[in-house]
Amino acid sequence: MVVSFDSIPHDKLMACLRMRVVDRSVLKLIRMWLETPVVEPGGEKGEPDKWSRSKKGTPQGGVISPLLANLYLHWFDKLFYRADGPAHWAKAKLVRYADDFVVLARYQTPRLKGWIEEKIETWLKLEINREKTRVLDLRKEKASLDFLGYTFRWDRDLYGTGKRYLNVEPSKKSIQRERERINEMTDRRQGCTPLPHLIERLNRHMRGWANYFSFGYPRKAHGKIDWHLGYRLANHLKHHRSQRPYRLPEGMTYYQHFQRLGVEFLRLNHPR
């Protein structure tokens, strides 16, 4: 379930913040940030610019928007796990990251759904993003859940026994974003970057990606990222380093050459 903060009144948000922050200067700064005016450029016919100052919502992409979401939805967490909350009468669990959360329960009853909608929309004055919210039964064939960059689904084991296991792996969107990031790091603008520096920068980035996606079974994703990294590096050496064609050492493949240069491929350095 994904919630939108576009409808939250600033006064309600500030009241919540005053329960956690006592420094008046900080509270004043946050209110000024929330109420920063928005300027819409005038038309082509010399129309004046339009100024507006919102009384609700948080700026999209704001640096502290995730922090405000955590502070505000903290009270939803408290109600959820209270003695009279669904954590007890529905045996449900809440997993939340900022304004994106998943409710896990054996049975998704109308009572549970109604409780969540009432607390989010009526009590907290937020909006539920219906397009990104759904009820999912992972036990069904081909059902999957994407959350925080991972895909969760039940798959049959690879040994042909017919048993199923919970497969957790990087999502397709995460893999695609990583490919795009590698493209940026190996494009023609890096042609003047010394090769050892470029490789060290790539290794540092790949280690960070692998550390985040170390949970579950990322081996297939590692293979896809390694192939794309090798392809982009080979293309970079052949087309972006010099006007003369790049020559490999005799009897050596690009993959072996990159290993000798110090490239840390994921399947070799994170064999899981």
Side-chain angles (χ1 to χ4, degrees):
M1 181 172 288
V2 180
V3 296
S4 170
F5 277 71
D6 293 343
S7 61
I8 177 177
H10 290 168
D11 290 342
K12 193 172 180 67
L13 177 57
M14 293 304 301
C16 175
L17 289 176
R18 283 194 290 271
M19 300 177 70
R20 308 283 297 217
V21 180
V22 297
D23 191 321
R24 291 186 179 181
S25 61
V26 173
L27 292 171
K28 181 180 178 181
L29 183 62
I30 293 175
R31 177 175 283 279
M32 291 172 61
W33 177 79
L34 288 172
E35 297 179 353
T36 300
V38 177
V39 181
E40 297 181 16
E44 297 179 355
K45 299 181 180 180
E47 299 173 354
D49 296 342
K50 295 181 180 180
W51 291 64
S52 61
R53 194 183 298 272
S54 176
K55 294 295 182 182
K56 61 181 182 179
T58 58
Q60 289 266 342
V63 292
I64 66 169
S65 291
L67 176 60
L68 294 178
N70 276 328
L71 288 172
Y72 194 65
L73 285 172
H74 165 76
W75 302 106
F76 176 74
D77 301 351
K78 296 279 286 187
L79 286 183
F80 193 94
Y81 285 103
R82 206 167 63 176
D84 58 347
H88 296 275
W89 50 260
K91 305 299 181 184
K93 295 184 182 296
L94 173 67
V95 182
R96 184 176 64 80
Y97 183 82
D99 59 348
D100 193 1
F101 63 88
V102 174
V103 176
L104 307 173
R106 186 174 294 275
Y107 303 105
Q108 296 284 341
T109 62
R111 181 187 177 189
L112 176 59
K113 182 180 178 182
W115 187 94
I116 294 172
E117 291 180 349
E118 193 276 331
K119 297 304 179 187
I120 291 292
E121 297 186 322
T122 303
W123 185 59
L124 291 174
K125 305 297 183 184
L126 299 174
E127 292 180 1
I128 296 176
N129 189 327
R130 306 289 177 179
E131 295 181 357
K132 297 183 179 180
T133 298
R134 57 180 176 146
V135 177
L136 179 68
D137 186 350
L138 277 182
R139 295 170 295 185
K140 292 184 178 179
E141 194 73 21
K142 297 183 179 180
S144 64
L145 169 68
D146 285 0
F147 186 59
L148 301 183
Y150 280 93
T151 293
F152 301 80
R153 67 173 177 272
W154 284 95
D155 281 341
R156 298 187 183 278
D157 67 29
L158 301 179
Y159 301 101
T161 64
K163 295 181 180 180
R164 302 176 73 195
Y165 71 102
L166 181 61
N167 190 6
V168 184
E169 62 182 0
S171 68
K172 291 181 180 179
K173 287 185 178 180
S174 298
I175 294 174
Q176 182 57 32
R177 282 196 295 265
E178 179 62 9
R179 289 193 184 108
E180 292 170 358
R181 179 58 180 148
I182 291 173
N183 291 349
E184 293 175 4
M185 299 179 72
T186 56
D187 63 15
R188 64 177 64 253
R189 293 173 297 179
Q190 308 302 323
C192 295
T193 303
L195 193 57
H197 293 177
L198 177 63
I199 290 176
E200 176 54 33
R201 193 180 304 164
L202 284 166
N203 287 343
R204 188 165 57 248
H205 171 76
M206 299 288 283
R207 285 195 295 267
W209 193 87
N211 287 338
Y212 179 82
F213 289 106
S214 61
F215 182 74
Y217 306 94
R219 187 170 178 81
K220 289 183 180 179
H222 285 177
K224 293 177 181 178
I225 296 300
D226 282 349
W227 186 92
H228 189 74
L229 176 62
Y231 170 79
R232 288 294 302 183
L233 275 176
N235 186 71
H236 180 81
L237 291 179
K238 288 188 290 186
H239 300 292
H240 303 325
R241 302 299 300 186
S242 173
Q243 294 180 348
R244 291 180 295 178
Y246 188 84
R247 294 183 180 275
L248 281 175
E250 187 175 352
M252 187 173 292
T253 66
Y254 272 108
Y255 185 75
Q256 294 168 334
H257 183 50
F258 293 149
Q259 285 184 272
R260 176 173 290 186
L261 291 175
V263 177
E264 298 177 7
F265 288 103
L266 296 178
R267 296 192 71 170
L268 294 177
N269 293 275
H270 303 271
R272 180 171 180 180

